[in-house]
Structures are given as C-alpha cells and as structure tokens.
Amino acid sequence: MAKGWQAFWERPNRIYAGEAHLRAHYKRIFRDLSPHLPADPAAVVLDYGCGDALAAEALAGRAGRLWLYDASPRVRDGLQARLAGHPRIRICDDPHLTGLAAASVDLALLISVVQYVDVGTLRAMLATIRRVLKTDGRLIVADVIAPGTPLVRDVASRLKFAAANGFLLADLAALVRLQLSDYRHLRGTIGLTTYDEASFLAVLRDSGFASERLDHNVGPSSHRLAFVGRPL
Ligand SMILES: C[S@@+](CC[C@H](N)C(=O)[O-])C[C@H]1O[C@@H](n2cnc3c(N)ncnc32)[C@H](O)[C@@H]1O
C-alpha cells in the first residue's frame, strides 16, 4: 500500500488554487521548457512524474512522441480520460515504462518530483531514465529545493505568481486550506528532500550524467534549482 507522499498523490489534493492556477502553472512550465526542447520534430520526449500535464498537447506539438509517466494510478486515469486517442501522446504505467526501448528518448523531464522521494528512489528513477535516453539525449530536472529554504520563500513566490496571473484571492484561500490539510502534516513529518547544487550534481554524476545547473528554474518557483544532464 502506498505511504507518505506517494499516498498523498494517490488522493485528490488541493495543492493548486483551482483551474486558473493549474493552467498558469503548466503554461509557465511550457514557456520555460521551450528553449530546451529538441529541434527535431520527430523527437521522443518522456515526462517522468508528469502530474496533470496540462502542457502535454503543447509539448506534443513540438515532438514526434510524448510519453507521460506518473507513479499515481489516479493521475494516469485522469490523463487517459483526457488524452487517450491523441496521436502523439501515450500514457505509461509501470510495465510500459520498464518496457520502453533502451536509447529511445531524446529528452526526459523530471520536474517537481525529486523533493517527494528519498535519494534511493531518485537514483532508481535516474537509472531508468539513463537506460531509455539516447546517447545524445538530455535530461532536465527542475524545481529542486535547496536545504534550508524557508517555507515563507515558497509561499511568497506562489503568491507573486498568483497575483501576476489574476488568482491571488483564490490562492490565499487555497493556502489556508493547505495549512489545514495532510500536506502540512506530511511536510512537517516526512518533509521534502532537499539538495544543494553540489550534492545534486554528484547524484547525477553517480547516475551516469554529466550535468550543469541551469540559470533559471523551470516553473513558477524561480528560487528553486534546475539542471541539465547528458549521458556520460
Ligand atoms: C508536484 S507534482 C509535479 C507534476 C509536474 N511534473 C509539474 O511539474 O507540475 C509531483 C508528481 O510526481 C509524481 N510522483 C511522485 N513520486 C513519483 C515516483 N516515484 N515516480 C513517478 N512519479 C512520481 C506524483 O504522483 C505527482 O503527480
């Protein structure tokens, strides 16, 4: 049975303030990813821990094939309901993921996932990604939280994004709800996994990637870290 953060993602959650927040969140992710997308329109992209993936159609518009993988069956069911039948998007469950051909993916994305897993799980994810990535492929990891990041920094960044996108009041209400939810309990007990730049680069190197930190994060939390990795 799923426990901790995995169980959290398995339940409907109220992390986002609503539809406007979700749409703005994925629009920002797509904007920030755009410079990193392969030039080849036939490229294969794997979005690992894709969540609701509201940018999936836009991403698929810049790729030959988009694989969406999320550990949560609830999330995958939602994606199936929305995207089944899209000619270039496939939703992967675990057997699909392990069955992906070696060296078949041009770009892998791991965005806002590593904070919810321990380092052993992260290494297992990176091994899977390393196996399916082409030798000239790229991995983008984003939204990595640095140790000691105060909660107030996340909240301030979130409210700034909400204000800029016209859902500030809804977000204030959502933040109050979040404080009363199991999210707060999990953050206080299990916590989020954090890495400084050097330690994350070391994990990537141990996992077979030559990597560097990107100048900007991918997504609305500009204070978080992002990396690009190439197979060694
Ligand atoms: C904060 S959401 C991120 C969604 C999306 N990538 C984004 O940036 O908005 C985290 C997602 O990671 C997924 N996840 C958590 N642990 C995972 C794991 N071990 N393998 C794959 N997905 C995982 C969760 O189910 C959830 O959908």
Side-chain angles (χ1 to χ4, degrees):
M1 210 225 266
K3 288 194 298 224
W5 285 115
Q6 206 177 329
F8 173 83
W9 292 112
E10 201 39 60
R11 297 186 289 271
N13 65 72
R14 301 173 86 181
I15 281 225
Y16 299 97
E19 198 55 30
H21 186 180
L22 263 177
R23 272 201 307 275
H25 172 83
Y26 281 102
K27 195 171 166 193
R28 175 63 179 265
I29 286 183
F30 182 69
R31 188 199 82 176
D32 292 347
L33 273 178
S34 286
H36 305 290
L37 296 178
D40 179 0
V44 178
V45 177
L46 167 65
D47 190 352
Y48 195 117
C50 59
D52 293 318
L54 292 198
E57 291 96 330
L59 271 175
R62 299 270 299 269
R65 170 62 55 100
L66 173 63
W67 299 110
L68 297 176
Y69 170 69
D70 198 284
S72 160
R74 178 190 68 81
V75 170
R76 294 198 303 265
D77 288 348
L79 295 171
Q80 283 289 4
R82 197 179 96 233
L83 296 167
H86 191 290
R88 290 192 299 283
I89 300 176
R90 292 289 178 278
I91 292 105
C92 297
D93 57 12
D94 290 274
H96 278 119
L97 182 73
T98 42
L100 287 184
S104 61
V105 169
D106 297 277
L107 175 69
L109 308 173
L110 190 59
I111 303 175
S112 205
V113 178
V114 308
Q115 63 268 44
Y116 300 108
V117 299
D118 59 30
V119 69
T121 305
L122 171 62
R123 287 180 193 278
M125 286 177 182
L126 291 172
T128 301
I129 291 170
R130 177 71 181 76
R131 185 187 72 80
V132 299
L133 212 53
K134 293 181 180 172
T135 50
D136 61 349
R138 295 280 182 274
L139 163 67
I140 302 278
V141 188
D143 230 28
V144 176
I145 304 177
T149 304
L151 183 60
V152 67
R153 187 122 193 240
D154 284 338
V155 170
S157 147
R158 178 171 163 147
L159 289 176
K160 189 174 163 200
F161 184 68
N165 287 280
F167 59 91
L168 181 58
L169 282 181
D171 204 33
L172 284 166
L175 282 169
V176 172
R177 281 197 306 269
L178 215 51
Q179 280 306 300
L180 303 172
S181 76
D182 52 347
Y183 177 86
R184 184 184 176 203
H185 175 72
L186 285 167
R187 240 185 122 144
T189 51
I190 299 175
L192 297 173
T193 309
T194 61
Y195 299 87
D196 61 25
E197 180 177 341
S199 61
F200 202 76
L201 286 172
V203 173
L204 286 169
R205 192 183 52 246
D206 293 349
S207 304
F209 293 92
S211 310
E212 60 189 282
R213 184 175 163 193
L214 292 171
D215 290 340
H216 304 284
N217 190 24
V218 173
S221 304
S222 53
H223 57 289
R224 295 186 177 178
L225 316 181
F227 300 86
V228 58
R230 301 166 183 79
L232 280 165

